[in-house]
Amino acid sequence: MSRAVGAGAGQPVLILKEGTSRTRGRAAQRNNIAAAKIIAEMVKTTLGPKGMDKILVDSIGDVVVTNDGATILDKMDVEHPAAKMLIEVAKAQDTSVGDGTTTVVVLTGELLKHAEELIDQKIHPSTVITGYRRALDIALRELEKIAKPIKLDDKKTLKKIVNTSLGSKSLGFATEHIADLAINAVLSIVEERDGKLYADKENIQIVKKMGKSLLESELVNGIIVDKEVVHPAMPKRVTNAKIALINAPFEIEKTEFSAEIRIRDPLKMKEFLDEETRILKEMVDKVVKVGANVVFCQKGIDDIAQFFLAKAGILAVRRVKASDMEKLAKATGARIVTDFDDLSEKDLGYAGLVEERKIGEDKMVFVQDCKNPKAVSVLLRAGLERQLDEAERALNDAIMNMISLIRDMKYVPGGGATEMALASMIRKEAPKYPGKEQLAMLAFAESLEMIPRTLSENAGLEPVEILTELRMRHEKGEHGYGVEVLSGKVQDMFKAGVIEPVKVKEQVLKSAFEAAAMILRIDDVIAAARKKPGEEKKSSSSEYSS
């Protein structure tokens, strides 16, 4: 005969804190899948060039207008844990490849929807996940087969890839210009490491300033420092600049502990001040001696030092951010010096022009025409703050698209063509596997078809007709065919110029599978009671009934 240990007269044992909620088994799975499907439905209408925008208002009244999946999800204040997991997936997609955020959320929602149907047919979630994994392996293998190689000097194809990324952004007539900025910026910072090409997004600085139009945004072969020249008597424009980067104060450092200097003789006071001046002049003389005519200082510059620098005709900027100092070093070839005694001529960097300019209401220092800059800047202009923010998001996506392409130098067709091709291949392979797993693989293929279906719906086309024609094309092995939403027809995407980096698609497939698998594995949700605002923390104690 069994009995509850520690329980008397059938009384329950209280383990969880009062107010804690617990959902188990099928109910937990249903709740989690429902939350993920709702998030997917919210962003679905933003997919593709004909997608709609969302307006988001936060708790303090700030407004964001965008159709960027990652931004929409990031700005939403979501409570449900499964919904939060989906948002994390979109953020991971945005961080790693910068594009495909809406696609990954829509695909995850669809995988979970089909998984729910299979679970209702008494198929265990583990079997569904195994079938999905087999389908993913086939998709990743076939993805490499339909991908085409590209070279960095093929500017025409590069532009098509970037234009595909920008197609869904609200840039209007400035799309081509922003695409050129992104391509030229990334090509400037490409490096070769261990025989492979590499580009780091950190080496591209984006500076936003209100005013003028998007068409007047420009690429600067160097760095823009959001500071002004420190002294009015200094030159505001220096050509053939020899640049010193100094991470040390142009000041007399104060002692770390409190100290008092008592001077009884007035003449000694003058000597004391003269000594300070002499030390500062020595610092400036050192800079002049090595031949520098521009100084960027990460720390402060004393008023007396400013006077001596101005007298020597040196342009100086103080309190430059550490990140800007690193970019300046990469752009100009200078070495950041932390001690004036170490400063030598070989530590200096070069720029064709260093100039203070007034952009809008602010003065900024432009360091440009560098010989071989490994860090560049893009100055974004727009008439509206909302437009400026959306342009930044678009430029970021375009830059990340280029960086993703550089990783393996291959591209695949867009417009839902890749998803249709992979779905077709999974359907052909599925019969080789056991019955229940085969059903999950077919569900994976059907989920992939949601991408061209959604593109068609968002463009006001008839999705059934589009999908029927696409299936027919892909059955014949014409794997380049997808939805050309602007013309409303099924076309070869390679010829139409709608192409995407293979890395973006690969990341979408992996992330969507991982998110769906993680949510399907959950069969128990234990949620602690939320503290009410102003509620005092009560001392917690374990409560047992005897």
Side-chain angles (χ1 to χ4, degrees):
M1 224 178 117
S2 63
R3 65 190 179 88
V5 179
Q11 285 179 319
V13 178
L14 300 178
I15 294 170
L16 300 172
K17 266 189 174 184
E18 193 180 340
T20 302
S21 63
R22 185 180 182 195
T23 317
R24 285 185 286 179
R26 189 70 193 89
Q29 284 173 339
R30 196 174 277 116
N31 282 348
N32 289 338
I33 290 169
K37 276 163 44 182
I38 289 165
I39 293 290
E41 285 293 327
M42 287 173 84
V43 296
K44 194 188 262 186
T45 55
T46 68
L47 190 70
K50 293 284 184 85
M52 307 298 278
D53 286 358
K54 306 282 181 193
I55 187 164
L56 303 155
V57 186
D58 66 15
S59 54
I60 58 169
D62 276 353
V63 175
V64 175
V65 180
T66 184
N67 66 357
D68 182 68
T71 307
I72 293 166
L73 296 172
D74 185 45
K75 299 287 180 189
M76 276 172 21
D77 198 4
V78 172
E79 282 282 325
H80 199 285
K84 283 181 179 175
M85 285 161 69
L86 212 56
I87 290 168
E88 289 302 318
V89 170
K91 281 183 185 173
Q93 178 79 15
D94 193 43
T95 307
S96 55
V97 291
D99 202 7
T101 49
T102 306
T103 308
V104 76
V105 174
V106 170
L107 184 55
T108 305
E110 203 60 24
L111 286 171
L112 289 168
K113 179 185 161 189
H114 284 98
E116 188 174 33
E117 291 165 5
L118 293 171
I119 292 167
D120 286 340
Q121 293 171 33
K122 300 289 185 283
I123 296 172
H124 196 274
S126 295
T127 309
V128 175
I129 292 166
T130 305
Y132 277 1
R133 183 173 286 285
R134 292 197 194 284
L136 174 71
D137 292 341
I138 294 165
L140 292 175
R141 188 180 70 229
E142 298 299 332
L143 190 65
E144 286 297 318
K145 291 181 185 175
I146 60 172
K148 291 188 177 183
I150 187 176
K151 290 182 179 173
L152 274 186
D153 55 3
D154 186 356
K155 283 272 187 86
K156 196 176 174 185
T157 308
L158 289 178
K159 194 156 186 185
K160 286 176 184 175
I161 290 167
V162 174
N163 277 341
T164 302
S165 168
L166 296 175
S168 60
K169 309 298 176 190
S170 316
L171 295 174
F173 53 81
T175 304
E176 294 282 319
H177 183 56
I178 297 294
D180 286 333
L181 289 179
I183 292 166
N184 293 330
V186 175
L187 291 180
S188 301
I189 61 155
V190 172
E191 300 173 68
E192 194 170 319
R193 294 183 189 174
D194 303 325
K196 285 187 175 183
L197 293 174
Y198 178 82
D200 187 354
K201 167 77 171 56
E202 291 299 309
N203 293 335
I204 299 174
Q205 178 193 34
I206 300 174
V207 178
K208 300 186 296 179
K209 283 293 166 188
M210 286 270 287
K212 300 198 176 180
S213 77
L214 273 171
L215 285 172
E216 287 175 86
S217 300
E218 60 176 302
L219 175 68
V220 176
N221 284 319
I223 298 298
I224 302 167
V225 181
D226 200 352
K227 299 276 180 184
E228 57 185 279
V229 174
V230 77
H231 195 279
M234 286 177 179
K236 298 289 188 283
R237 191 173 195 273
V238 176
T239 52
N240 295 322
K242 290 179 179 175
I243 299 163
L245 301 180
I246 298 169
N247 183 12
F250 262 101
E251 296 170 328
I252 305 297
E253 290 196 72
K254 292 178 173 66
T255 53
E256 285 183 20
F257 48 86
S258 295
E260 192 178 282
I261 299 169
R262 291 183 180 179
I263 300 171
R264 292 184 176 86
D265 185 347
L267 294 173
K268 297 284 183 189
M269 185 67 191
K270 186 177 184 304
E271 278 180 35
F272 178 76
L273 294 172
D274 286 348
E275 181 62 18
E276 276 197 355
T277 306
R278 188 190 64 77
I279 293 167
L280 290 167
K281 190 171 188 311
E282 269 184 17
M283 290 178 180
V284 175
D285 287 345
K286 180 73 178 173
V287 172
V288 174
K289 190 180 173 186
V290 296
N293 53 11
V294 174
V295 171
F296 288 97
C297 184
Q298 199 171 323
K299 303 284 198 304
I301 301 178
D302 191 279
D303 291 353
I304 298 166
Q306 289 177 30
F307 167 75
F308 286 128
L309 286 164
K311 201 173 175 184
I314 294 171
L315 183 155
V317 180
R318 66 177 168 185
R319 307 209 183 280
V320 179
K321 288 190 295 188
S323 57
D324 284 353
M325 290 290 277
E326 286 168 19
K327 288 186 179 79
L328 281 165
K330 285 177 182 171
T332 64
R335 187 175 77 89
I336 299 170
V337 176
T338 54
D339 191 331
F340 284 94
D341 293 334
D342 292 342
L343 186 64
S344 65
E345 198 174 338
K346 68 177 189 295
D347 296 324
L348 301 182
Y350 174 82
L353 176 67
V354 175
E355 182 181 28
E356 181 187 84
R357 293 185 204 162
K358 192 167 184 187
I359 306 291
E361 295 295 310
D362 306 312
K363 287 180 180 174
M364 308 170 90
V365 176
F366 283 66
V367 181
Q368 60 190 89
D369 300 336
C370 301
K371 283 177 183 171
N372 185 24
K374 288 299 165 203
V376 294
S377 294
V378 177
L379 177 63
L380 269 184
R381 308 302 305 273
L384 292 169
E385 193 180 341
R386 310 272 172 267
Q387 191 183 22
L388 195 59
D389 290 341
E390 187 69 347
E392 184 190 20
R393 286 189 280 269
L395 180 63
N396 185 61
D397 280 6
I399 288 168
M400 287 301 291
N401 236 305
M402 278 289 295
I403 290 171
S404 301
L405 184 69
I406 283 163
R407 286 185 201 170
D408 51 10
M409 299 303 290
K410 287 180 183 175
Y411 64 92
V412 288
T418 300
E419 287 81 4
M420 283 302 299
L422 298 178
S424 171
M425 290 160 183
I426 290 166
R427 280 200 176 93
K428 285 176 184 170
E429 291 272 336
K432 298 177 185 175
Y433 295 92
K436 288 181 179 179
E437 283 180 21
Q438 186 184 131
L439 287 174
M441 291 172 76
L442 293 172
F444 194 100
E446 208 169 316
S447 300
L448 286 170
E449 289 183 350
M450 180 48 76
I451 303 304
R453 177 188 284 274
T454 304
L455 287 170
S456 307
E457 286 172 355
N458 290 350
L461 306 174
E462 187 51 59
V464 176
E465 289 176 15
I466 297 282
L467 280 176
T468 306
E469 190 178 345
L470 281 174
R471 277 182 182 169
M472 183 187 73
R473 293 277 188 185
H474 285 273
E475 283 297 318
K476 293 178 185 175
E478 296 174 354
H479 294 315
Y481 276 78
V483 194
E484 212 294 280
V485 295
L486 300 176
S487 65
K489 293 176 184 172
V490 167
Q491 287 184 31
D492 186 333
M493 294 288 105
F494 286 122
K495 288 177 184 170
V498 181
I499 47 181
E500 299 178 72
V502 73
K503 204 78 189 168
V504 171
K505 291 293 179 196
E506 186 185 298
Q507 188 66 36
V508 163
L509 292 167
K510 287 178 181 175
S511 297
F513 164 74
E514 284 165 10
M518 193 185 296
I519 290 170
L520 287 174
R521 281 197 188 98
I522 298 165
D523 75 337
D524 208 335
V525 179
I526 301 161
R530 284 188 167 271
K531 280 191 169 68
K532 290 173 187 172
E535 187 184 341
E536 290 186 79
K537 286 186 180 178
K538 295 174 184 174
S539 56
S540 58
S541 58
S542 302
E543 187 186 344
Y544 296 95
S545 62
S546 55

PDB file of all heavy atoms in Angstrom, residues 18 38 61 107 121 152 167 170 202 224-225 228 261 292 300 350 363 368 375 402 418 431 446 472 486 499 519 536:
ATOM      1  N   GLU A  18       3.031  30.611  -2.746  1.00  0.00           N
ATOM      2  CA  GLU A  18       1.645  30.981  -2.976  1.00  0.00           C
ATOM      3  C   GLU A  18       1.560  31.945  -4.170  1.00  0.00           C
ATOM      4  O   GLU A  18       2.359  32.869  -4.299  1.00  0.00           O
ATOM      5  CB  GLU A  18       1.094  31.677  -1.714  1.00  0.00           C
ATOM      6  CG  GLU A  18      -0.423  31.807  -1.750  1.00  0.00           C
ATOM      7  CD  GLU A  18      -0.968  32.490  -0.491  1.00  0.00           C
ATOM      8  OE1 GLU A  18      -0.240  32.515   0.531  1.00  0.00           O
ATOM      9  OE2 GLU A  18      -2.078  32.992  -0.550  1.00  0.00           O
ATOM     10  N   ILE A  38       0.772  33.556 -32.531  1.00  0.00           N
ATOM     11  CA  ILE A  38       0.275  34.946 -32.495  1.00  0.00           C
ATOM     12  C   ILE A  38       1.385  35.919 -32.901  1.00  0.00           C
ATOM     13  O   ILE A  38       1.161  36.843 -33.692  1.00  0.00           O
ATOM     14  CB  ILE A  38      -0.290  35.289 -31.089  1.00  0.00           C
ATOM     15  CG1 ILE A  38      -1.601  34.542 -30.858  1.00  0.00           C
ATOM     16  CG2 ILE A  38      -0.499  36.793 -30.933  1.00  0.00           C
ATOM     17  CD1 ILE A  38      -2.058  34.514 -29.413  1.00  0.00           C
ATOM     18  N   GLY A  61       5.511  57.097 -24.871  1.00  0.00           N
ATOM     19  CA  GLY A  61       4.917  57.803 -26.008  1.00  0.00           C
ATOM     20  C   GLY A  61       5.789  57.925 -27.243  1.00  0.00           C
ATOM     21  O   GLY A  61       5.383  58.542 -28.225  1.00  0.00           O
ATOM     22  N   LEU A 107       8.345  31.303 -40.315  1.00  0.00           N
ATOM     23  CA  LEU A 107       8.642  29.873 -40.500  1.00  0.00           C
ATOM     24  C   LEU A 107       8.508  29.109 -39.180  1.00  0.00           C
ATOM     25  O   LEU A 107       7.944  28.011 -39.144  1.00  0.00           O
ATOM     26  CB  LEU A 107      10.040  29.699 -41.092  1.00  0.00           C
ATOM     27  CG  LEU A 107      10.464  28.275 -41.442  1.00  0.00           C
ATOM     28  CD1 LEU A 107       9.473  27.601 -42.382  1.00  0.00           C
ATOM     29  CD2 LEU A 107      11.863  28.259 -42.071  1.00  0.00           C
ATOM     30  N   GLN A 121      -2.756  14.179 -33.576  1.00  0.00           N
ATOM     31  CA  GLN A 121      -2.934  12.843 -34.164  1.00  0.00           C
ATOM     32  C   GLN A 121      -2.180  11.775 -33.361  1.00  0.00           C
ATOM     33  O   GLN A 121      -1.887  10.700 -33.861  1.00  0.00           O
ATOM     34  CB  GLN A 121      -2.432  12.838 -35.612  1.00  0.00           C
ATOM     35  CG  GLN A 121      -3.262  13.693 -36.548  1.00  0.00           C
ATOM     36  CD  GLN A 121      -2.607  13.851 -37.922  1.00  0.00           C
ATOM     37  OE1 GLN A 121      -1.932  12.934 -38.398  1.00  0.00           O
ATOM     38  NE2 GLN A 121      -2.800  14.996 -38.553  1.00  0.00           N
ATOM     39  N   LEU A 152      33.913  39.202 -55.744  1.00  0.00           N
ATOM     40  CA  LEU A 152      33.754  40.551 -55.178  1.00  0.00           C
ATOM     41  C   LEU A 152      33.765  41.651 -56.222  1.00  0.00           C
ATOM     42  O   LEU A 152      33.256  42.740 -55.987  1.00  0.00           O
ATOM     43  CB  LEU A 152      34.850  40.822 -54.144  1.00  0.00           C
ATOM     44  CG  LEU A 152      34.575  40.349 -52.708  1.00  0.00           C
ATOM     45  CD1 LEU A 152      35.677  40.829 -51.792  1.00  0.00           C
ATOM     46  CD2 LEU A 152      33.235  40.834 -52.184  1.00  0.00           C
ATOM     47  N   GLY A 167      14.503  45.864 -50.764  1.00  0.00           N
ATOM     48  CA  GLY A 167      13.227  45.908 -51.490  1.00  0.00           C
ATOM     49  C   GLY A 167      12.026  46.140 -50.595  1.00  0.00           C
ATOM     50  O   GLY A 167      11.042  46.759 -50.999  1.00  0.00           O
ATOM     51  N   SER A 170      11.195  51.170 -46.708  1.00  0.00           N
ATOM     52  CA  SER A 170      10.506  52.369 -47.208  1.00  0.00           C
ATOM     53  C   SER A 170      11.529  53.461 -47.558  1.00  0.00           C
ATOM     54  O   SER A 170      11.570  54.504 -46.916  1.00  0.00           O
ATOM     55  CB  SER A 170       9.533  52.885 -46.148  1.00  0.00           C
ATOM     56  OG  SER A 170       8.808  51.835 -45.580  1.00  0.00           O
ATOM     57  N   GLU A 202      31.807  46.307 -37.106  1.00  0.00           N
ATOM     58  CA  GLU A 202      32.284  47.341 -36.175  1.00  0.00           C
ATOM     59  C   GLU A 202      33.157  48.388 -36.869  1.00  0.00           C
ATOM     60  O   GLU A 202      33.344  49.481 -36.360  1.00  0.00           O
ATOM     61  CB  GLU A 202      33.090  46.698 -35.034  1.00  0.00           C
ATOM     62  CG  GLU A 202      32.249  45.871 -34.068  1.00  0.00           C
ATOM     63  CD  GLU A 202      31.180  46.693 -33.369  1.00  0.00           C
ATOM     64  OE1 GLU A 202      31.510  47.750 -32.814  1.00  0.00           O
ATOM     65  OE2 GLU A 202      30.002  46.277 -33.402  1.00  0.00           O
ATOM     66  N   ILE A 224      34.216  60.011 -38.998  1.00  0.00           N
ATOM     67  CA  ILE A 224      33.592  61.264 -38.577  1.00  0.00           C
ATOM     68  C   ILE A 224      33.618  61.282 -37.042  1.00  0.00           C
ATOM     69  O   ILE A 224      33.097  60.367 -36.410  1.00  0.00           O
ATOM     70  CB  ILE A 224      32.140  61.371 -39.079  1.00  0.00           C
ATOM     71  CG1 ILE A 224      32.096  61.260 -40.612  1.00  0.00           C
ATOM     72  CG2 ILE A 224      31.503  62.671 -38.618  1.00  0.00           C
ATOM     73  CD1 ILE A 224      30.701  61.034 -41.168  1.00  0.00           C
ATOM     74  N   VAL A 225      34.235  62.294 -36.475  1.00  0.00           N
ATOM     75  CA  VAL A 225      34.302  62.419 -35.015  1.00  0.00           C
ATOM     76  C   VAL A 225      33.283  63.476 -34.597  1.00  0.00           C
ATOM     77  O   VAL A 225      33.355  64.627 -35.026  1.00  0.00           O
ATOM     78  CB  VAL A 225      35.725  62.806 -34.546  1.00  0.00           C
ATOM     79  CG1 VAL A 225      35.779  62.912 -33.027  1.00  0.00           C
ATOM     80  CG2 VAL A 225      36.733  61.781 -35.032  1.00  0.00           C
ATOM     81  N   GLU A 228      33.989  68.991 -31.792  1.00  0.00           N
ATOM     82  CA  GLU A 228      34.491  70.149 -32.539  1.00  0.00           C
ATOM     83  C   GLU A 228      35.934  70.440 -32.159  1.00  0.00           C
ATOM     84  O   GLU A 228      36.431  69.950 -31.141  1.00  0.00           O
ATOM     85  CB  GLU A 228      33.592  71.366 -32.313  1.00  0.00           C
ATOM     86  CG  GLU A 228      33.409  71.791 -30.867  1.00  0.00           C
ATOM     87  CD  GLU A 228      32.396  72.926 -30.758  1.00  0.00           C
ATOM     88  OE1 GLU A 228      32.787  74.073 -31.006  1.00  0.00           O
ATOM     89  OE2 GLU A 228      31.231  72.663 -30.419  1.00  0.00           O
ATOM     90  N   ILE A 261      49.556  72.554  -0.953  1.00  0.00           N
ATOM     91  CA  ILE A 261      50.864  73.202  -1.162  1.00  0.00           C
ATOM     92  C   ILE A 261      50.779  74.608  -0.586  1.00  0.00           C
ATOM     93  O   ILE A 261      49.920  75.399  -0.989  1.00  0.00           O
ATOM     94  CB  ILE A 261      51.213  73.247  -2.673  1.00  0.00           C
ATOM     95  CG1 ILE A 261      51.303  71.816  -3.228  1.00  0.00           C
ATOM     96  CG2 ILE A 261      52.524  73.990  -2.898  1.00  0.00           C
ATOM     97  CD1 ILE A 261      51.369  71.734  -4.731  1.00  0.00           C
ATOM     98  N   ALA A 292      53.535  66.052 -36.155  1.00  0.00           N
ATOM     99  CA  ALA A 292      52.062  65.946 -36.196  1.00  0.00           C
ATOM    100  C   ALA A 292      51.432  67.323 -36.393  1.00  0.00           C
ATOM    101  O   ALA A 292      51.895  68.305 -35.825  1.00  0.00           O
ATOM    102  CB  ALA A 292      51.551  65.320 -34.904  1.00  0.00           C
ATOM    103  N   GLY A 300      41.470  64.927 -21.536  1.00  0.00           N
ATOM    104  CA  GLY A 300      41.275  66.374 -21.622  1.00  0.00           C
ATOM    105  C   GLY A 300      42.511  67.107 -22.136  1.00  0.00           C
ATOM    106  O   GLY A 300      43.622  66.564 -22.138  1.00  0.00           O
ATOM    107  N   TYR A 350      47.917  58.952 -41.397  1.00  0.00           N
ATOM    108  CA  TYR A 350      47.808  59.917 -42.500  1.00  0.00           C
ATOM    109  C   TYR A 350      46.356  60.018 -42.968  1.00  0.00           C
ATOM    110  O   TYR A 350      45.629  59.027 -43.033  1.00  0.00           O
ATOM    111  CB  TYR A 350      48.692  59.487 -43.665  1.00  0.00           C
ATOM    112  CG  TYR A 350      48.505  60.372 -44.887  1.00  0.00           C
ATOM    113  CD1 TYR A 350      49.175  61.591 -44.985  1.00  0.00           C
ATOM    114  CD2 TYR A 350      47.622  60.013 -45.907  1.00  0.00           C
ATOM    115  CE1 TYR A 350      48.971  62.424 -46.086  1.00  0.00           C
ATOM    116  CE2 TYR A 350      47.414  60.836 -47.004  1.00  0.00           C
ATOM    117  CZ  TYR A 350      48.093  62.043 -47.087  1.00  0.00           C
ATOM    118  OH  TYR A 350      47.892  62.867 -48.163  1.00  0.00           O
ATOM    119  N   LYS A 363      28.745  70.777 -34.939  1.00  0.00           N
ATOM    120  CA  LYS A 363      30.044  70.800 -35.625  1.00  0.00           C
ATOM    121  C   LYS A 363      30.680  69.424 -35.459  1.00  0.00           C
ATOM    122  O   LYS A 363      30.659  68.847 -34.371  1.00  0.00           O
ATOM    123  CB  LYS A 363      30.947  71.876 -35.024  1.00  0.00           C
ATOM    124  CG  LYS A 363      30.531  73.289 -35.396  1.00  0.00           C
ATOM    125  CD  LYS A 363      31.451  74.318 -34.773  1.00  0.00           C
ATOM    126  CE  LYS A 363      31.024  75.739 -35.155  1.00  0.00           C
ATOM    127  NZ  LYS A 363      31.833  76.741 -34.441  1.00  0.00           N
ATOM    128  N   GLN A 368      39.155  62.293 -43.632  1.00  0.00           N
ATOM    129  CA  GLN A 368      38.852  61.558 -44.865  1.00  0.00           C
ATOM    130  C   GLN A 368      40.028  61.511 -45.836  1.00  0.00           C
ATOM    131  O   GLN A 368      41.103  62.027 -45.549  1.00  0.00           O
ATOM    132  CB  GLN A 368      37.624  62.159 -45.539  1.00  0.00           C
ATOM    133  CG  GLN A 368      37.744  63.613 -45.945  1.00  0.00           C
ATOM    134  CD  GLN A 368      36.400  64.169 -46.367  1.00  0.00           C
ATOM    135  OE1 GLN A 368      35.640  64.672 -45.546  1.00  0.00           O
ATOM    136  NE2 GLN A 368      36.104  64.085 -47.654  1.00  0.00           N
ATOM    137  N   ALA A 375      38.638  51.236 -41.760  1.00  0.00           N
ATOM    138  CA  ALA A 375      37.411  51.653 -41.076  1.00  0.00           C
ATOM    139  C   ALA A 375      36.869  52.854 -41.849  1.00  0.00           C
ATOM    140  O   ALA A 375      37.633  53.743 -42.221  1.00  0.00           O
ATOM    141  CB  ALA A 375      37.692  52.028 -39.627  1.00  0.00           C
ATOM    142  N   MET A 402      25.783  42.057 -47.088  1.00  0.00           N
ATOM    143  CA  MET A 402      27.081  42.002 -47.772  1.00  0.00           C
ATOM    144  C   MET A 402      28.097  41.183 -46.968  1.00  0.00           C
ATOM    145  O   MET A 402      28.838  40.367 -47.512  1.00  0.00           O
ATOM    146  CB  MET A 402      27.616  43.424 -47.969  1.00  0.00           C
ATOM    147  CG  MET A 402      27.044  44.145 -49.167  1.00  0.00           C
ATOM    148  SD  MET A 402      27.643  43.481 -50.723  1.00  0.00           S
ATOM    149  CE  MET A 402      29.390  43.885 -50.641  1.00  0.00           C
ATOM    150  N   THR A 418      13.795  29.607 -53.162  1.00  0.00           N
ATOM    151  CA  THR A 418      14.637  28.679 -52.398  1.00  0.00           C
ATOM    152  C   THR A 418      13.772  27.780 -51.516  1.00  0.00           C
ATOM    153  O   THR A 418      13.974  26.566 -51.459  1.00  0.00           O
ATOM    154  CB  THR A 418      15.646  29.469 -51.534  1.00  0.00           C
ATOM    155  OG1 THR A 418      16.463  30.248 -52.391  1.00  0.00           O
ATOM    156  CG2 THR A 418      16.525  28.537 -50.720  1.00  0.00           C
ATOM    157  N   PRO A 431       9.708   9.705 -48.414  1.00  0.00           N
ATOM    158  CA  PRO A 431       9.258   8.296 -48.403  1.00  0.00           C
ATOM    159  C   PRO A 431      10.318   7.281 -47.945  1.00  0.00           C
ATOM    160  O   PRO A 431       9.984   6.140 -47.631  1.00  0.00           O
ATOM    161  CB  PRO A 431       8.858   8.046 -49.869  1.00  0.00           C
ATOM    162  CG  PRO A 431       8.541   9.400 -50.410  1.00  0.00           C
ATOM    163  CD  PRO A 431       9.468  10.331 -49.719  1.00  0.00           C
ATOM    164  N   GLU A 446       5.782  21.621 -46.057  1.00  0.00           N
ATOM    165  CA  GLU A 446       4.595  22.480 -46.171  1.00  0.00           C
ATOM    166  C   GLU A 446       4.813  23.829 -45.477  1.00  0.00           C
ATOM    167  O   GLU A 446       4.353  24.869 -45.943  1.00  0.00           O
ATOM    168  CB  GLU A 446       3.386  21.762 -45.565  1.00  0.00           C
ATOM    169  CG  GLU A 446       2.081  22.194 -46.201  1.00  0.00           C
ATOM    170  CD  GLU A 446       0.909  21.300 -45.810  1.00  0.00           C
ATOM    171  OE1 GLU A 446       1.078  20.067 -45.822  1.00  0.00           O
ATOM    172  OE2 GLU A 446      -0.154  21.852 -45.484  1.00  0.00           O
ATOM    173  N   MET A 472       4.612  23.033 -59.797  1.00  0.00           N
ATOM    174  CA  MET A 472       4.796  22.425 -61.120  1.00  0.00           C
ATOM    175  C   MET A 472       6.203  22.705 -61.656  1.00  0.00           C
ATOM    176  O   MET A 472       6.898  21.818 -62.137  1.00  0.00           O
ATOM    177  CB  MET A 472       3.735  22.986 -62.069  1.00  0.00           C
ATOM    178  CG  MET A 472       3.750  22.398 -63.462  1.00  0.00           C
ATOM    179  SD  MET A 472       2.601  23.275 -64.532  1.00  0.00           S
ATOM    180  CE  MET A 472       3.459  24.828 -64.796  1.00  0.00           C
ATOM    181  N   LEU A 486       6.312  42.373 -57.743  1.00  0.00           N
ATOM    182  CA  LEU A 486       6.072  43.667 -58.392  1.00  0.00           C
ATOM    183  C   LEU A 486       5.292  43.485 -59.693  1.00  0.00           C
ATOM    184  O   LEU A 486       4.435  44.290 -60.042  1.00  0.00           O
ATOM    185  CB  LEU A 486       7.392  44.400 -58.637  1.00  0.00           C
ATOM    186  CG  LEU A 486       8.208  44.694 -57.366  1.00  0.00           C
ATOM    187  CD1 LEU A 486       9.540  45.342 -57.712  1.00  0.00           C
ATOM    188  CD2 LEU A 486       7.433  45.595 -56.403  1.00  0.00           C
ATOM    189  N   ILE A 499      17.887  37.977 -55.603  1.00  0.00           N
ATOM    190  CA  ILE A 499      18.805  36.960 -55.064  1.00  0.00           C
ATOM    191  C   ILE A 499      19.264  37.346 -53.659  1.00  0.00           C
ATOM    192  O   ILE A 499      19.279  38.518 -53.305  1.00  0.00           O
ATOM    193  CB  ILE A 499      20.023  36.753 -56.002  1.00  0.00           C
ATOM    194  CG1 ILE A 499      20.620  38.099 -56.417  1.00  0.00           C
ATOM    195  CG2 ILE A 499      19.654  35.923 -57.206  1.00  0.00           C
ATOM    196  CD1 ILE A 499      21.797  38.023 -57.362  1.00  0.00           C
ATOM    197  N   ILE A 519      10.473  24.894 -28.179  1.00  0.00           N
ATOM    198  CA  ILE A 519       9.105  25.116 -27.684  1.00  0.00           C
ATOM    199  C   ILE A 519       8.340  23.795 -27.603  1.00  0.00           C
ATOM    200  O   ILE A 519       7.576  23.560 -26.661  1.00  0.00           O
ATOM    201  CB  ILE A 519       8.375  26.159 -28.568  1.00  0.00           C
ATOM    202  CG1 ILE A 519       8.998  27.553 -28.333  1.00  0.00           C
ATOM    203  CG2 ILE A 519       6.881  26.204 -28.282  1.00  0.00           C
ATOM    204  CD1 ILE A 519       8.563  28.632 -29.293  1.00  0.00           C
ATOM    205  N   GLU A 536       6.232  45.417  -0.689  1.00  0.00           N
ATOM    206  CA  GLU A 536       7.480  45.218   0.049  1.00  0.00           C
ATOM    207  C   GLU A 536       7.910  43.767  -0.074  1.00  0.00           C
ATOM    208  O   GLU A 536       7.097  42.857  -0.145  1.00  0.00           O
ATOM    209  CB  GLU A 536       7.279  45.569   1.526  1.00  0.00           C
ATOM    210  CG  GLU A 536       7.098  47.052   1.765  1.00  0.00           C
ATOM    211  CD  GLU A 536       7.039  47.367   3.256  1.00  0.00           C
ATOM    212  OE1 GLU A 536       8.001  47.411   3.858  1.00  0.00           O
ATOM    213  OE2 GLU A 536       6.017  47.558   3.809  1.00  0.00           O
TER     214      GLU A 536
END
